[in-house]
Amino acid sequence: MMNSKTKRYNLSDSTIRLVEEEDQFDFLCEGFDSPRARMSCGHVVTPMSLTKWCEQLLKQGKSRFVCGQSGCDAEWSYREVCKMALLTPEERKNFETTMALNAAARDPNTKFCPGCMTPVTRGSSSDLYVCCQVCSAKTGRSFGFCWQCLREWKGQQPRSDRCENDDCHNSALKTLRECPEVQIELTGGVKGCPSVRACPTCGSLIQHTGIGCKNMKCPQCKMSFCFGCLKTGSCCGLCPGGIAPRQTSIPVWDGRLFHMGIDNYSCVYSNRKRNACVLC
């Protein structure tokens, strides 16, 4: 059974360019026990040294694989990395999960195509159907996937709510719809309020425990808003329009205010600061 310590190129594999040269990615001089092979950029690796280099790139927050040798900025395709690093199924799963998280951290409008793992940028925030040009060219037919469930598209398009794959739903909207209420103190009394709100600026989900001030500062975009009425800026005391109803859509960040740190649909932040205003 192959594992990361015994990965070796097969000498009879004619699709791999084996060479009698030094492993250029064995930075710690570990002497990996495998024949050497040449990457598409010309530099020489072993399966284990390539795996470790790519893991290091992922730890640095990268979602694409670049050679990194002096004077070489060649980008390797994920397909090439899988082949030349002899990635195991478990390694592929870890790589793909980290790649997706890293890509979302840098650009919330980019996700990986489920067919080829190529980064694809969403054209419209109101359409869940996304066409992958790489898969379309490879298959000879238009290949589209769902931005929401990340599976090959089923059903008519365009659509903004869901595709026709089973269990395709927006988990953020479900959270906003089903979250319990908390009691928010207002001038003149205490009123019930949804315990989770989407930041009116960037869409990040934020949870209020019912303890402390209703004024929030979004941990993502750093913009301040009132958890009760959802007005931006501080709103101490009475909310002029009362408590805003449950949100039925997620605000989309326009990219002008800050560099987003994570996918704004994947995390719920909590205001756990006791008896203090988060703006103070």
Side-chain angles (χ1 to χ4, degrees):
M1 180 177 179
M2 179 183 295
N3 58 51
S4 60
K5 293 184 178 181
T6 62
K7 290 194 294 188
R8 291 175 52 86
Y9 291 128
N10 187 338
L11 292 174
S12 63
D13 188 346
S14 61
T15 66
I16 296 177
R17 294 184 294 170
L18 299 176
V19 296
E20 294 291 337
E21 298 180 27
E22 291 296 321
D23 182 356
Q24 293 177 282
F25 285 81
D26 184 10
F27 299 116
L28 299 179
C29 301
E30 296 177 73
F32 300 114
D33 183 23
S34 170
R36 278 62 170 137
R38 195 178 304 282
M39 298 290 289
S40 58
C41 64
H43 290 105
V44 178
V45 301
T46 57
M48 197 58 211
S49 68
L50 179 59
T51 299
K52 287 199 168 188
W53 171 249
C54 291
E55 287 176 340
Q56 183 62 31
L57 292 176
L58 293 176
K59 288 179 182 179
Q60 294 172 0
K62 304 292 194 294
S63 59
R64 302 186 182 193
F65 303 105
V66 178
C67 175
Q69 289 289 325
S70 179
C72 182
D73 58 357
E75 182 177 329
W76 304 318
S77 70
Y78 179 62
R79 187 181 302 274
E80 180 180 12
V81 168
C82 287
K83 176 183 177 180
M84 300 300 290
L86 301 181
L87 294 184
T88 65
E90 182 179 1
E91 287 173 332
R92 286 195 182 205
K93 181 179 180 180
N94 291 336
F95 270 47
E96 291 167 11
T97 298
T98 308
M99 288 162 64
L101 291 173
N102 290 349
R106 292 195 318 279
D107 186 354
N109 291 317
T110 297
K111 290 187 178 181
F112 284 89
C113 169
C116 64
M117 291 305 296
T118 297
V120 179
T121 300
R122 189 181 187 183
S124 170
S125 61
S126 62
D127 187 5
L128 292 175
Y129 176 84
V130 184
C131 180
C132 175
Q133 300 299 330
V134 174
C135 285
S136 297
K138 181 181 177 182
T139 61
R141 64 179 179 85
S142 180
F143 179 88
F145 67 92
C146 177
W147 188 261
Q148 188 160 265
C149 68
L150 294 179
R151 287 176 284 181
E152 185 172 0
W153 184 270
K154 286 186 179 180
Q156 297 294 317
Q157 52 87 17
R159 285 186 65 171
S160 60
D161 55 345
R162 55 164 295 170
C163 70
E164 293 184 10
N165 279 302
D166 293 338
D167 299 324
C168 178
H169 66 272
N170 189 315
S171 59
L173 286 178
K174 183 179 180 181
T175 297
L176 293 177
R177 184 174 63 249
E178 299 179 358
C179 68
E181 288 191 348
V182 293
Q183 299 300 308
I184 298 292
E185 292 187 10
L186 300 172
T187 299
V190 178
K191 291 188 177 181
C193 175
S195 60
V196 178
R197 296 289 207 182
C199 170
T201 298
C202 72
S204 297
L205 297 193
I206 302 174
Q207 182 181 34
H208 200 299
T209 63
I211 301 174
C213 182
K214 62 189 176 69
N215 288 313
M216 308 290 290
K217 178 179 285 187
C218 175
Q220 280 289 74
C221 66
K222 312 304 180 185
M223 294 296 288
S224 302
F225 70 97
C226 174
F227 203 85
C229 65
L230 296 178
K231 300 286 187 181
T232 56
S234 61
C235 182
C236 293
L238 178 67
C239 291
I243 297 293
R246 289 179 182 268
Q247 294 159 287
T248 58
S249 63
I250 304 291
V252 178
W253 172 61
D254 63 12
R256 293 179 298 177
L257 297 175
F258 70 107
H259 179 75
M260 192 167 234
I262 62 172
D263 181 359
N264 61 353
Y265 301 124
S266 66
C267 186
V268 175
Y269 294 95
S270 297
N271 169 27
R272 303 191 182 281
K273 196 171 184 180
R274 289 180 170 271
N275 302 319
C277 175
V278 294
L279 301 180
C280 300

